[in-house]
Structure formats: structure tokens, C-alpha cells
Amino acid sequence: MIKAKPALTNREDIYLLVTSFYKKIRANPDLGPIFNAVIKDWESHFVVLTDFWESQLLIRRTYLGNPIEVHQKVDATMNHSITSAHFGLWLNLWFETLDELFTGELVWVAKNRAQKMSTMLFLKIYESRPKE
């Protein structure tokens, strides 16, 4: 008998989503080198990411950072080598992890927000690059 997937409903679910997702990211041959080069304390980063997604999905203001600035700095650290393909890989793994773990309306919201954010973040990264 196949066990039904639970709905995504609370901070604990989001933490599971974040840690499961970034396990895949860290092992990915294209994304792992980027993330592993800039994140030194994964446990603290999981808390920040859980705060971010809790703010996005449960409308609880727990994240106070600036994701655009953070991603622009990462791109600069990586010699402006981040491409839209990286964001596509990230998004595919995000969708995959959501579908593996959860069901329900917040899964759709998490996919929709991630899709919009990935486009916006890449545009902001591109805009901040040095002009030749």
C-alpha cells in the first residue's frame, strides 16, 4: 500500500523540504561547486532558508535578509559565471523535491514563487555585472 504524501503546512515541513533539497544541490555536479564554495556553515544556512521559505509560504516574517544582494555577491565570487541554466537546474530540483515530499496548495505556491524568484534573481544578477 502506498502511503499518501502529507500536505506542506508548517515550519517543520519547510525545514524538511530545505534540507532534502539542498542535499541534492550539494551533490549536483553543476550546482554543488557553487553552493559548497560559498556556504561554510550549512546548519545555519538551513535555518536562514527555512526562515525565508516560511516567510514566503506561511506569511510569517521570519526572514529579514536581502536575497538579491546575497545572490549578486555569490555571482561576483564565482567570477560572474552563474547562468540561467544554473537557475533552471535549481528549479527542477526544487520541483522534484516538493513532489517527492508533499502535496497540496502550498506545493503549488512554493513552485510558483520559486519560478518567479529564479527569473527575477537571475535578471538582478545580470544587471549588477560589470559593463564592458
Side-chain angles (χ1 to χ4, degrees):
M1 183 171 179
I2 298 173
K3 184 179 173 186
K5 291 181 277 188
L8 176 60
T9 60
N10 57 45
R11 183 176 176 87
E12 291 76 24
D13 292 342
I14 294 169
Y15 184 82
L16 174 61
L17 171 62
V18 164
T19 56
S20 299
F21 171 65
Y22 279 96
K23 182 177 181 181
K24 293 177 183 185
I25 292 289
R26 294 170 77 182
N28 183 279
D30 297 307
L31 299 175
I34 297 168
F35 284 85
N36 291 318
V38 296
I39 300 167
K40 301 304 178 202
D41 181 355
W42 277 97
E43 289 306 315
S44 293
H45 197 61
F46 292 150
V47 172
V48 170
L49 292 168
T50 300
D51 288 347
F52 175 81
W53 284 104
E54 182 179 37
S55 296
Q56 292 294 312
L57 301 175
L58 304 179
I59 318 302
R60 293 191 185 121
R61 187 142 166 90
T62 50
Y63 177 77
L64 303 174
N66 182 336
I68 294 170
E69 184 178 293
V70 169
H71 287 82
Q72 288 170 335
K73 286 180 182 176
V74 170
D75 184 57
T77 299
M78 302 308 295
N79 296 315
H80 307 292
S81 62
I82 296 176
T83 68
S84 59
H86 290 113
F87 279 93
L89 289 169
W90 182 95
L91 198 58
N92 285 335
L93 290 173
W94 180 250
F95 280 28
E96 177 184 290
T97 307
L98 280 161
D99 289 338
E100 286 172 357
L101 295 174
F102 299 106
T103 190
E105 184 179 349
L106 281 183
V107 169
W108 180 86
V109 173
K111 289 177 179 180
N112 190 296
R113 296 250 169 100
Q115 194 165 22
K116 289 178 180 179
M117 282 186 281
S118 67
T119 300
M120 181 269 303
L121 285 171
F122 181 69
L123 288 172
K124 293 297 182 182
I125 284 172
Y126 187 79
E127 288 173 359
S128 74
R129 288 180 175 170
K131 308 301 180 245
E132 295 185 25

